[in-house]
Amino acid sequence: MTRTVRRARRLLRHTLLLALPLTALCTLSGCTAQGSADAASGTTAATAVPTTPSPSATVQVGPPGVLFDSFRYTGPQDPALAAHGWEVRTDGGGPGIQDTWTTDGATFPETADAQGGRAMQVRLTTDGTPAGTRQTEVGRTRGEFVNGTLAARVFFTDRPAGNGRDGDHINECFYAISPGPSTPKYSELDFEYMPNGGWGAVGARLDTTSWRSSTAGDRDTRDTKRSLAGWHTMMITADNGKVTYSMDGTNLFTSDGKSYPREPLSIRFSSWLIDLPASVTGTRTWDTKVNWVYYQADKAVPLAEVKRAVDGLYSADIAFVDNIS
C-alpha cells in the first residue's frame, strides 16, 4: 500500500468520524479510486465531479445493517448498478399499462437542486396508446427491508416535462415489496403519489398503504390530499409491530397487526400509469427523481439522524454503502 493511499484512508476516516453521528463510527475495508483521490487532494464533495464507483471497490462504512446509494451511475447498463444490487425492470405484467416496462427511462443526470448534484431519474413516456407507453421501475434484486428505517429523498412532479399535456393518471412510487405475489408471507409498503388522482378520485393525493396480501383490498391505507410537487424526504419505519409513514419529519399514517412485513422486502422506485385517459392527447414525459436512499436495519432512526448520516457520507464522497449482508 503506497504512502498516498495510507494518508488518504486516514483522512477519510477522520472526515467520517467528524461528519457521521456517534452511532455510525466507520470501518473502511476499501474505497473507490475517486474517493481516495479526492481525500488525498483535499477536494470536498461540493466540488468533486461525481463518478461511478468500481463494482469491485465497495466501501464498507458505518454500523452493521446500513444500505446507502447516491445513484452515481452512467446509465442502466452501468455494471456498477447491477453489482450494487439494482435492476431496471424489463419483464411483462403490471401494474399500469401491461408489458410496457423499459430500461430507457432510468437515467442518472446531473441535477442542480439534488444533494451532491446527481440523481436517478425515473421517466414515464406515453402518447396515449399502449404501444407508445414506456413505464420505468428500478429496484433491489433481493429482499432486504423487514425491520428498521427506510428513507429516500424523492422529487415528485405535478406536470409533464416540456410542453406535454397534463392530465395523465400517473403513479409516482417509492415502496418495498415481497419477491413474488404468491408468497404466503406477502407484504408491501407503499408511498404512491398521484398528482392528477386516479381510480375515480380527483386532485393530487399521496396514498400510504400497508398490504397484508396481494388480494385486492387486503390492506390498511390512508391518503394525504394535497400537491407534493418538489423534493421530499420520505420515510418508512417498521418497528415493534408497527409501520409508520412520514414525510419531511411529519408522521402521515401508522399501521400495525397483519400488515407488518413478514419477510424481507425489495426496495423499489417506479413511474406508471393507472390508465390512458382519452381526453389527453399528444406525447408527454413525466420525470420522477430520487436523490438518495438510506436504510438502517433493525433500528427506528429519526429524520435528523438519517440526515446527519447522509450528509456525512456525501461530505466524505462515499457514493455507495452495503452493510446489510
Side-chain angles (χ1 to χ4, degrees), residues 186-232:
Y186 182 90
S187 305
E188 183 179 341
L189 309 174
D190 296 344
F191 280 114
E192 295 183 313
Y193 180 57
M194 292 156 280
N196 293 317
W199 293 298
V202 297
R205 85 173 197 261
L206 174 74
D207 282 0
T208 47
T209 307
S210 299
W211 289 87
R212 295 183 288 265
S213 75
S214 58
T215 302
D218 191 14
R219 61 183 184 169
D220 295 315
T221 187
R222 181 173 299 171
D223 59 18
T224 300
K225 296 179 180 178
R226 66 183 180 90
S227 170
L228 300 180
W231 287 104
H232 298 280

Side-chain angles (χ1 to χ4, degrees), residues 71-292:
F71 298 110
R72 285 188 270 181
Y73 302 106
T74 59
Q77 307 305 323
D78 188 336
L81 187 69
H84 289 169
W86 297 99
E87 65 179 355
V88 185
R89 182 177 175 183
T90 57
D91 62 0
I97 312 306
Q98 298 285 309
D99 306 330
T100 61
W101 303 100
T102 178
T103 62
D104 295 343
T107 58
F108 304 89
E110 294 184 1
T111 305
D113 55 353
Q115 187 169 0
R118 182 71 65 92
M120 175 172 68
Q121 185 167 272
V122 183
R123 170 169 285 185
L124 181 142
T125 60
T126 185
D127 62 3
T129 69
T133 298
R134 297 293 182 268
Q135 302 182 147
T136 302
E137 178 171 278
V138 181
R140 302 293 291 169
T141 56
R142 62 189 176 99
E144 293 158 314
F145 175 41
V146 182
N147 304 294
T149 302
L150 174 61
R153 186 169 186 249
V154 182
F155 180 88
F156 295 120
T157 182
D158 278 5
R159 297 185 59 84
N163 297 319
R165 287 194 60 189
D166 197 4
D168 284 315
H169 296 147
I170 186 173
N171 202 321
E172 305 170 42
C173 304
F174 164 40
Y175 70 111
I177 189 171
S178 284
S182 60
T183 172
K185 295 183 178 180
Y186 182 90
S187 305
E188 183 179 341
L189 309 174
D190 296 344
F191 280 114
E192 295 183 313
Y193 180 57
M194 292 156 280
N196 293 317
W199 293 298
V202 297
R205 85 173 197 261
L206 174 74
D207 282 0
T208 47
T209 307
S210 299
W211 289 87
R212 295 183 288 265
S213 75
S214 58
T215 302
D218 191 14
R219 61 183 184 169
D220 295 315
T221 187
R222 181 173 299 171
D223 59 18
T224 300
K225 296 179 180 178
R226 66 183 180 90
S227 170
L228 300 180
W231 287 104
H232 298 280
T233 301
M234 317 301 291
M235 289 177 52
I236 305 173
T237 303
D239 181 62
N240 198 28
K242 295 183 179 181
V243 177
T244 299
Y245 300 83
S246 63
M247 180 178 65
D248 301 326
T250 299
N251 289 350
L252 302 176
F253 176 56
T254 298
S255 64
D256 56 16
K258 292 182 179 180
S259 58
Y260 194 84
R262 295 174 291 161
E263 64 181 354
L265 309 181
S266 169
I267 302 164
R268 295 183 173 269
F269 303 92
S270 66
S271 292
W272 52 277
L273 291 173
I274 296 171
D275 52 28
L276 291 169
S279 59
V280 186
T281 59
T283 300
R284 52 268 189 197
T285 298
W286 294 83
D287 290 331
T288 307
K289 298 175 184 177
V290 186
N291 195 169
W292 50 258

